[in-house]
Amino acid sequence: MASKCNVVSVVGLLLVLTLLQNPVTVSGQRNSGAGLFTFGDSNFDAGNKQTLTKASVAQGAWPYGKSRDDPNGKFSDGFIAPDFLAKYMGITIEIPPALVPGVNVSRGASFAVADATLLGAPVESLTLSQQVRKFNQMKANWNDDFIKKSAFMIYIGANDYLNFTKNNPNADASAQHAFVTSVTNKLKNDISLLYSSGASKFVIQTLAPLGCLPIVRQEYKTGMENCYEPLNDLAKQHNAIIGPMLNEMAKSTQGFQFTVFDFYDAIIRRTAKPSSYRLFMTNASCCGIGSHDAYGCGLSNVHVKLCEYQRSYLFFDGRHNTEKTQEMFAHLLIGADKNVIQPMNVRELVVYPVDESMTELWVPPTPATVQARESVSSSHGYESY
């Protein structure tokens, strides 16, 4: 009996020592030492807009940050997806807004700014190419090895299509196609610019169904049940180009690695089957006024309505998701399978050997993969997808 106890004790001690030598986060992601850099628009803005503009910004005031009692310039009632993703990657400090002087950028930074576009010259914002230029100005903060093994996360293009549709309400199919080509070509060029700056691991998020945003439903008077399909069509055209474009870049560029998160489908599934994800309202906002409560959240001169329980909502304001759903998306990014993010999830991407060519590439969804998504989401709810 004593010898058995001794064996158990030794085994237990070895397990403890192993865990101490190989710490993991609660999500199961071993800390790879990689950082996280984010680029794009208000979805990933960690507080840059309120630094860049001279005016007071809505997202810097309550009820933004409501769930954390901290209106910190993020477009949510609390944390946003990159905050959670960083935690799951084993990063123990907050990923800060790069435009704020004196912040700790040792594990990455957010260069995303609200109102950002790929084309044009956004007012009091930065295009993606300008964000990349800012990254290059700050490159001395990180060594080349750290940059190369870190994840570079991009979500941009929504403002380009929202502005195009507003300014060209009668654009025909040819004009729409030409504009999508211009936007996606610019995205490719800007990703190439980041690659030439030392980045090698890219997380590209497809555009949301823009016609289903509460502010779009409200402005185009679609009613509660319908989306504004012209904008959804533009988003679909854009998204269809992303995977093949990145495949080509991976084939032709040494060490270029990527993954694509199907954000469009993640939103559509929650809109179509709210109860599967423990949501109650998916077509109107928690904070705002109007037919879909989509306008004015955080504005001092607007008397908005605020929902009682934001965790039952998909959208906090007219364009941005609640902290609860942001956390869901981060779970998908770090650990979902190829039905949601492909050709690998972020956990796999950050440990993929640097400078090696990818052995798998993005493949178009098939009826079988779509059916698999529906089957898993119906049986497991938000925990899976």
Side-chain angles (χ1 to χ4, degrees):
M1 177 65 97
S3 61
K4 289 183 179 179
C5 289
N6 289 335
V7 170
V8 171
S9 298
V10 170
V11 171
L13 178 60
L14 290 173
L15 285 173
V16 170
L17 291 173
T18 300
L19 287 172
L20 288 173
Q21 292 174 352
N22 299 280
V24 295
T25 68
V26 291
S27 66
Q29 171 67 40
R30 182 174 288 112
N31 189 337
S32 65
L36 178 63
F37 296 88
T38 63
F39 298 79
D41 61 20
S42 53
N43 283 269
F44 290 168
D45 188 343
N48 286 314
K49 180 71 171 183
Q50 66 179 1
T51 301
L52 193 63
T53 182
K54 296 177 181 178
S56 60
V57 294
Q59 69 275 17
W62 194 88
Y64 286 101
K66 177 177 181 287
S67 293
R68 301 280 169 176
D69 195 25
D70 180 25
N72 55 10
K74 297 174 182 178
F75 289 80
S76 177
D77 58 296
F79 291 154
I80 54 178
D83 294 321
F84 292 107
L85 181 61
K87 175 184 174 183
Y88 303 154
M89 289 172 62
I91 299 173
T92 57
I93 62 173
E94 184 176 354
I95 301 300
L99 302 187
V100 176
V103 293
N104 182 356
V105 297
S106 61
R107 296 302 301 276
S110 168
F111 293 85
V113 186
D115 302 319
T117 58
L118 282 156
L119 305 176
V123 178
E124 294 188 319
S125 186
L126 300 175
T127 61
L128 180 56
S129 60
Q130 290 172 325
Q131 294 175 30
V132 175
R133 193 175 308 140
K134 183 65 178 175
F135 167 76
N136 281 321
Q137 292 169 359
M138 296 178 61
K139 267 185 67 176
N141 288 286
W142 312 283
N143 63 47
D144 292 344
D145 289 340
F146 178 78
I147 291 173
K148 188 172 286 190
K149 69 182 180 181
S150 294
F152 285 72
M153 190 174 179
I154 301 173
Y155 180 80
I156 198 165
N159 290 316
D160 293 275
Y161 295 112
L162 290 168
N163 295 337
F164 174 81
T165 301
K166 187 174 182 178
N167 297 330
N168 303 275
N170 299 314
D172 60 17
S174 177
Q176 292 176 13
H177 176 74
F179 187 73
V180 171
T181 300
S182 296
V183 171
T184 51
N185 282 344
K186 189 64 171 68
L187 177 59
K188 181 179 180 180
N189 290 340
D190 291 346
I191 292 173
S192 297
L193 186 61
L194 257 180
Y195 173 81
S196 66
S197 300
S200 68
K201 297 176 182 286
F202 296 90
V203 181
I204 310 300
Q205 187 164 296
T206 66
L207 293 181
L210 303 177
C212 297
L213 299 177
I215 190 63
V216 172
R217 294 184 195 239
Q218 182 166 304
E219 290 182 352
Y220 289 93
K221 300 178 172 60
T222 66
M224 294 300 287
E225 301 304 320
N226 299 316
C227 299
Y228 187 65
E229 292 306 326
L231 267 167
N232 279 357
D233 289 342
L234 284 170
K236 288 176 184 177
Q237 291 181 55
H238 174 99
N239 292 342
I241 294 172
I242 301 304
M245 177 186 81
L246 295 170
N247 280 349
E248 187 58 36
M249 295 179 76
K251 291 176 184 177
S252 61
T253 311
Q254 175 63 35
F256 184 96
Q257 301 168 4
F258 75 90
T259 194
V260 179
F261 172 46
D262 193 348
F263 189 48
Y264 187 104
D265 190 68
I267 294 292
I268 285 293
R269 279 183 277 112
R270 284 160 178 77
T271 302
K273 296 183 178 180
S275 60
S276 296
Y277 304 94
R278 303 178 190 177
L279 297 170
F280 171 73
M281 179 62 69
T282 59
N283 51 13
S285 310
C286 170
C287 176
I289 60 170
S291 59
H292 294 70
D293 298 329
Y295 172 76
C297 187
L299 295 178
S300 59
N301 61 341
V302 179
H303 185 67
V304 300
K305 293 193 294 183
L306 183 64
C307 68
E308 292 184 4
Y309 187 55
Q310 62 270 21
R311 290 182 63 82
S312 65
Y313 278 69
L314 177 59
F315 293 94
F316 183 67
D317 66 12
R319 286 186 55 172
H320 307 98
N321 300 109
T322 57
E323 181 186 77
K324 173 185 174 178
T325 48
Q326 301 270 8
E327 186 175 13
M328 289 183 191
F329 302 146
H331 275 292
L332 300 181
L333 283 158
I334 195 68
D337 65 21
K338 293 178 183 178
N339 289 327
V340 178
I341 180 169
Q342 58 151 324
M344 61 184 105
N345 57 46
V346 175
R347 175 185 286 118
E348 295 163 335
L349 178 66
V350 295
V351 298
Y352 201 89
V354 170
D355 291 331
E356 285 196 14
S357 298
M358 297 173 62
T359 56
E360 295 181 78
L361 296 174
W362 180 89
V363 295
T366 65
T369 59
V370 172
Q371 185 176 8
R373 290 176 178 178
E374 293 299 324
S375 174
V376 175
S377 64
S378 296
S379 59
H380 295 287
Y382 81 95
E383 293 177 351
S384 293
Y385 296 129

